[in-house]
Amino acid sequence: MGKIILTGDRPTGKLHLGHFVGSLRNRVKLQNSNEFDEIYLMIADSQALTDNFDNPKKVRDNVLEVALFYLACGIDPKKTTIFIQSQVPALTELTFYYMNLVSVARLHRNPTVKQEVKLRGFEESIPSGFLNYPVSQAADITAFEGEIVPVGEDQLPLIEQCREIVRKFNNIYGETLREPEAIVSKNKRIKGLDGNEKMGKSLGNAIYLADSDEEITKKVMGAITDPKKLKKEDPADPNVCMVYYYHKLFENENIKVVHDECENGTRGCVACKKELINKIIESLSEYRKNKNYYEQNPEIVDEILKDGCNKAKNKAMEMTKKIKQNMKIDYFE
Ligand code: TRP
């Protein structure tokens, strides 16, 4: 069995810097390491529908946004198969079989599900599709024999759930499924410019990839710095400053200088912020150029997605055949 990566994203919400320097940079690095035999990157539209079933347009529009984002960030369709979850019917089929292996109580106990239920106001009445999305995520991973699953920390309970399903399945039906391992992209959750632990729409502290240079400038200028520093000459602690934190995220090659000058009181916050703004805009320029290219050539994106969906469909179908054989539901094979 080859070394296989599978991961994915729900196509909801606007993409921000956290997606850019967090998960995507890491995935492009993994892709270009050439250490993996197969890499699958899934746009999880079916999963997105579990809590957006009443807003199909939002999900559909975001599928394209996410695809453009992947390509513009350097995901290479020759190395990584990009596909759309709903176009791979085997995933829904497997979900139904795996549902037998998980109790409702266990799903209710899943910390990520619990948190999301609260966030979405589902406490009174959880759609059963939503409650079961961890099961469908186990189908996603095992259908592709995913061994390595690069995710943010919030996804760990879902990978654990998948591992439980795998063990139970193999116990009952014989050794069939591969037990995956998560690798946590440490920057997936980046802090907001206001120092909040999370950058996000609801918190109003995010820099979006679609922001103009002026918006980026305005947002960075408002970032939280060391409150003890009132004048340029005041020595400060870079470790409590969000501007320093972002310099690190953007891999500023002079990071030591930034640190020392801040500490010595030889660097003013305004100059420091301006340097960061330039760095962010510079990093985004390649992305914007690429995104623009794909936007101008939608037929290329279409072809990539169609091809990816086909490849994914075949791979998942092969694996599902094996699974059904072991479950003794392969009547006419
Ligand atoms: N739950 C993931 C998210 O919210 C998306 C996802 C769906 C996924 N299936 C997956 C991630 C399988 C990793 C593996 O972004």
Side-chain angles (χ1 to χ4, degrees):
M1 227 184 309
K3 281 183 81 146
I4 302 177
I5 292 185
L6 176 123
T7 189
D9 299 289
R10 283 187 203 174
T12 49
K14 268 172 40 177
L15 295 159
H16 54 62
L17 282 189
H19 300 107
F20 184 70
V21 294
S23 50
L24 250 288
R25 196 164 57 186
N26 193 31
R27 289 177 194 169
V28 171
K29 269 185 201 153
L30 287 171
Q31 167 194 276
N32 295 339
S33 73
N34 293 325
E35 271 179 41
F36 297 91
D37 301 302
E38 295 166 50
I39 306 178
Y40 297 94
L41 189 47
M42 181 181 76
I43 306 177
D45 62 339
S46 309
Q47 190 178 108
L49 283 170
T50 64
D51 62 336
N52 290 278
F53 51 86
D54 52 354
N55 202 349
K57 183 170 184 317
K58 171 174 147 193
V59 174
R60 191 188 175 107
D61 291 347
N62 276 297
V63 167
L64 186 62
E65 270 305 299
V66 171
L68 288 170
F69 170 61
Y70 288 164
L71 293 169
C73 286
I75 294 294
D76 174 0
K78 286 196 209 71
K79 295 183 181 166
T80 298
T81 303
I82 306 174
F83 70 98
I84 307 171
Q85 187 181 24
S86 63
Q87 304 308 298
V88 181
L91 299 178
T92 345
E93 191 178 356
L94 290 181
T95 302
F96 193 60
Y97 301 136
Y98 294 174
M99 276 162 72
N100 298 330
L101 308 177
V102 186
S103 76
V104 174
R106 172 68 180 89
L107 291 168
H108 280 289
R109 272 201 310 274
N110 185 309
T112 307
V113 173
K114 252 183 167 165
Q115 210 181 10
E116 289 173 322
V117 162
K118 223 196 250 160
L119 212 69
R120 287 162 180 69
F122 281 162
E123 287 106 327
E124 288 296 305
S125 159
I126 307 175
S128 60
F130 183 80
L131 187 65
N132 269 299
Y133 94 73
V135 182
S136 114
Q137 191 152 328
D140 303 336
I141 296 168
T142 53
F144 291 90
E145 299 176 280
E147 176 192 29
I148 304 289
V149 188
V151 283
E153 203 151 23
D154 61 311
Q155 296 288 306
L156 290 178
L158 296 162
I159 309 304
E160 190 46 43
Q161 180 78 79
C162 175
R163 290 162 62 92
E164 281 176 38
I165 291 174
V166 167
R167 289 195 291 263
K168 191 147 181 192
F169 188 103
N170 290 346
N171 231 326
I172 300 172
Y173 303 109
E175 209 52 46
T176 315
L177 305 177
R178 191 180 217 181
E179 202 169 315
E181 217 166 290
I183 50 171
V184 176
S185 17
K186 79 175 179 304
N187 289 334
K188 177 136 191 216
R189 274 267 145 94
I190 70 171
K191 293 186 199 171
L193 290 162
D194 56 356
N196 199 303
E197 279 306 313
K198 215 185 128 189
M199 177 181 262
K201 190 161 84 183
S202 52
L203 298 159
N205 63 355
I207 295 182
Y208 295 105
L209 298 181
D211 280 351
S212 65
D213 291 356
E214 293 71 41
E215 283 168 306
I216 294 174
T217 304
K218 204 168 113 212
K219 287 178 179 175
V220 174
M221 281 300 175
I224 297 292
T225 54
D226 183 348
K228 287 199 308 299
K229 186 175 168 91
L230 301 174
K231 301 192 298 300
K232 181 183 165 200
E233 309 80 56
D234 290 341
D237 178 3
N239 296 315
V240 302
C241 174
M242 293 322 292
V243 180
Y244 178 66
Y245 170 83
Y246 273 78
H247 272 300
K248 277 193 297 191
L249 282 181
F250 277 85
E251 299 178 334
N252 186 325
E253 49 292 334
N254 297 321
I255 193 68
K256 195 161 164 10
V257 177
V258 177
H259 179 275
D260 294 350
E261 286 181 354
C262 175
E263 220 171 42
N264 303 334
T266 51
R267 162 175 286 257
C269 291
V270 173
C272 191
K273 284 175 176 173
K274 286 203 172 129
E275 195 178 318
L276 175 63
I277 291 163
N278 288 338
K279 185 82 195 168
I280 294 178
I281 291 174
E282 186 193 306
S283 308
L284 285 180
S285 80
E286 178 75 14
Y287 162 79
R288 286 169 169 166
K289 201 176 85 214
N290 295 341
K291 179 154 189 270
N292 196 24
Y293 166 78
Y294 286 111
E295 273 168 344
Q296 299 304 317
N297 295 282
E299 68 290 349
I300 298 181
V301 181
D302 250 25
E303 232 10 80
I304 290 170
L305 288 177
K306 231 191 269 170
D307 185 53
C309 287
N310 264 333
K311 274 195 208 145
K313 206 159 44 179
N314 289 334
K315 167 90 185 177
M317 202 161 61
E318 280 308 307
M319 187 60 197
T320 302
K321 238 188 231 168
K322 223 187 300 171
I323 291 170
K324 287 168 81 174
Q325 224 168 42
N326 292 359
M327 291 178 73
K328 314 230 174 293
I329 48 175
D330 58 332
Y331 304 103
F332 307 111
E333 293 293 330

